[in-house]
């Protein structure tokens, strides 16, 4: 079980923020994730993605963010895997983020020339995770925290159609306690 730990309690109301991400799976079943550090929740791993621009649909935002954060222009977000809401602080502003997370398949490879984007967005690194590594109890926190279970359910279901999972609001936790 992964627990997201709080570093700093944000003050005031949270601003709503819409975002979209894309889970990229390799032919071997590995998942590509980015490592970030956030002032409120700390270091965590997340699929490529981020906030939507004005007038942008979730699928359009997922595509733009996938290209920006990986440099891969040959991949497109596929079916919706899940939606969820969570709290964190984005550039000093406490937000409640509503995310659409899409699924796609692609080759196992390194990102393109995206170092400047990673620096600007606070992305510390990236890696491909095997299902076993992703489910290890001592791994860093994940966004969403139940990503290993979602991907395990996909492996069990096989190549059939995906029924998106609506996870709702998931509070940040530390050692089993809601913070």
């Amino acid at each position: 079980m992964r627990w997201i730990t709080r570093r700093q309690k944000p003050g005031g109301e949270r601003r709503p923020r819409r975002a979209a991400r894309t889970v990229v799976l390799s032919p071997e079943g590995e998942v590509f994730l980015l490592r970030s550090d956030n002032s409120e929740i700390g270091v965590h791993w997340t699929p490529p993605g981020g906030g939507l621009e004005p007038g942008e649909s979730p699928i359009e935002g997922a595509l733009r963010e996938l290209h920006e954060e990986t440099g891969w222009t040959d991949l497109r977000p596929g079916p919706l895997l899940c939606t969820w809401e969570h709290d964190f602080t984005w550039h000093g502003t406490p937000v409640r983020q509503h995310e659409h997370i899409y699924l796609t398949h692609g080759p196992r490879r390194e990102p393109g020339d995206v170092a400047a984007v990673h620096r600007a967005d606070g992305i510390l690194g990236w890696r491909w995770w095997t299902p076993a590594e992703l489910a290890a109890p001592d791994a860093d926190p994940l966004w969403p925290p139940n990503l290993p279970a979602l991907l395990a359910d996909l492996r069990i279901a096989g190549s059939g159609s995906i029924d998106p999972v609506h996870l709702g609001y998931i509070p940040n936790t530390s050692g089993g306690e809601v913070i």
Side-chain angles (χ1 to χ4, degrees):
M1 179 66 81
R2 284 172 187 68
W3 303 109
I4 297 176
T5 59
R6 174 180 58 91
R7 288 194 185 168
Q8 172 185 17
K9 184 177 181 179
E13 294 293 315
R14 292 195 177 270
R15 182 177 61 97
R17 184 173 193 251
R18 295 176 50 227
R21 300 187 179 282
T22 305
V23 171
V24 180
L25 292 177
S26 75
E28 296 79 24
E30 297 165 306
V31 62
F32 179 84
L33 297 175
L34 300 170
R35 185 172 187 249
S36 296
D37 191 3
N38 181 267
S39 63
E40 183 175 346
I41 59 120
V43 174
H44 60 282
W45 291 88
T46 187
L52 301 182
E53 294 179 355
E56 192 172 48
S57 72
I59 193 82
E60 291 167 336
L63 177 63
R64 177 184 50 76
E65 289 283 344
L66 179 63
H67 291 174
E68 288 176 3
E69 293 183 352
T70 66
W72 303 332
T73 58
D74 59 330
L75 298 182
R76 301 284 179 270
L80 182 64
L81 176 63
C82 71
T83 60
W84 77 304
E85 290 184 19
H86 60 103
D87 296 336
F88 76 107
T89 299
W90 177 246
H91 293 284
T93 301
V95 299
R96 172 146 307 159
Q97 183 155 290
H98 177 81
E99 293 189 5
H100 285 73
I101 301 178
Y102 297 91
L103 179 69
T104 195
H105 294 83
R108 187 182 195 283
R109 59 185 164 182
E110 294 187 12
D113 183 17
V114 292
V117 171
H118 285 195
R119 272 192 305 279
D121 287 348
I123 297 170
L124 305 174
W126 60 270
R127 70 173 274 203
W128 288 93
W129 293 74
T130 66
E133 291 169 332
L134 203 60
D138 59 345
D140 285 335
L142 297 170
W143 280 9
N146 54 348
L147 183 60
L150 290 169
L151 297 177
D153 289 347
L154 279 177
R155 284 190 298 279
I156 292 167
S159 61
S161 66
I162 295 176
D163 291 327
V165 177
H166 302 287
L167 302 171
Y169 172 74
I170 299 177
N172 296 329
T173 59
S174 176
E177 299 295 321
V178 174
I179 56 174

